[in-house]
């Protein structure tokens, strides 16, 4: 003798059960929407990203052709440039020029450097709560870094 311990529920019974408690579903939806709005408005700070790019050209190469060695040298120098851009020389000059009230390490955390493979382009991304300030910082970092790279790499 085999016992079957299953319960049969019809869709009509389920519909009437949910319909009787529809006010709970609506109330929970409204509470979730209000809580989400409150968190988004008061807790989460929006962040904006400004981007700028530097094209790094090897002085030793001629202007007519690009050799594989140019790409290889650029990829090796890319890490050096990333360290220079987020280094104290660049960040302290940017802080002084823009009158920012943050440390060099604080500014360096806002700067993200990326570079696509097989290119000589370095992209500088700056994240800030203000879109205007992010753009100002990104442009100033680019200008200072360009000058620093030229001086150091001569």
């Amino acid at each position: 003798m085999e016992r079957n311990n299953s319960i049969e529920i019809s869709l009509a019974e389920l519909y009437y059960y949910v319909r009787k408690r529809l006010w709970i579903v609506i109330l929970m939806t409204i509470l979730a929407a209000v809580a989400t709005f409150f968190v988004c408005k008061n807790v989460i700070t929006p962040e904006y990203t400004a981007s700028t790019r530097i094209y790094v050209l090897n002085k030793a190469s001629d202007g007519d052709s690009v050799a594989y060695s140019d790409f290889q040298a650029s990829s090796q120098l890319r890490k050096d440039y990333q360290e220079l851009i987020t280094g104290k020389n660049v960040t302290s000059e940017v802080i002084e020029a823009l009158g920012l009230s943050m440390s060099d390490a604080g500014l360096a955390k806002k700067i993200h450097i990326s570079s696509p493979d097989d290119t000589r382009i370095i992209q500088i991304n700056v994240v800030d709560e203000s879109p205007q300030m992010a753009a100002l910082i990104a442009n100033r970092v680019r200008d200072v870094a360009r000058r620093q790279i030229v001086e150091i790499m001569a």
Side-chain angles (χ1 to χ4, degrees), residues 50-90:
S51 298
T52 185
R53 293 179 176 195
I54 297 176
Y55 182 73
V56 181
L57 183 61
N58 189 358
K59 236 180 168 180
S61 66
D62 59 355
D64 295 338
S65 65
V66 176
Y68 177 73
S69 61
D70 290 340
F71 284 118
Q72 191 174 19
S74 295
S75 69
Q76 291 171 351
L77 290 174
R78 188 177 3 181
K79 293 177 185 172
D80 297 339
Y81 295 150
Q82 290 174 356
E83 288 298 318
L84 286 172
I85 291 170
T86 57
K88 190 171 182 168
N89 291 343
V90 173

Side-chain angles (χ1 to χ4, degrees), residues 36-119:
T36 302
F37 175 77
F38 176 77
V39 168
C40 289
K41 198 70 171 162
N42 298 317
V43 177
I44 299 174
T45 304
E47 290 185 336
Y48 301 93
T49 303
S51 298
T52 185
R53 293 179 176 195
I54 297 176
Y55 182 73
V56 181
L57 183 61
N58 189 358
K59 236 180 168 180
S61 66
D62 59 355
D64 295 338
S65 65
V66 176
Y68 177 73
S69 61
D70 290 340
F71 284 118
Q72 191 174 19
S74 295
S75 69
Q76 291 171 351
L77 290 174
R78 188 177 3 181
K79 293 177 185 172
D80 297 339
Y81 295 150
Q82 290 174 356
E83 288 298 318
L84 286 172
I85 291 170
T86 57
K88 190 171 182 168
N89 291 343
V90 173
T91 55
S92 61
E93 192 172 330
V94 170
I95 289 171
E96 183 181 326
L98 296 177
L100 302 175
S101 59
M102 65 177 65
S103 66
D104 293 326
L107 179 59
K109 286 181 183 177
K110 292 183 174 211
I111 301 171
H112 304 283
I113 310 298
S114 63
S115 180
D117 292 335
D118 296 334
T119 67

Side-chain angles (χ1 to χ4, degrees), residues 54-57 59 81 84-85 90 142-154:
I54 297 176
Y55 182 73
V56 181
L57 183 61
K59 236 180 168 180
Y81 295 150
L84 286 172
I85 291 170
V90 173
R142 180 199 60 220
D143 295 339
V144 172
R146 180 184 49 83
R147 192 171 21 79
Q148 292 280 337
I149 288 171
V150 169
E151 287 176 11
I152 292 171
M153 303 307 278

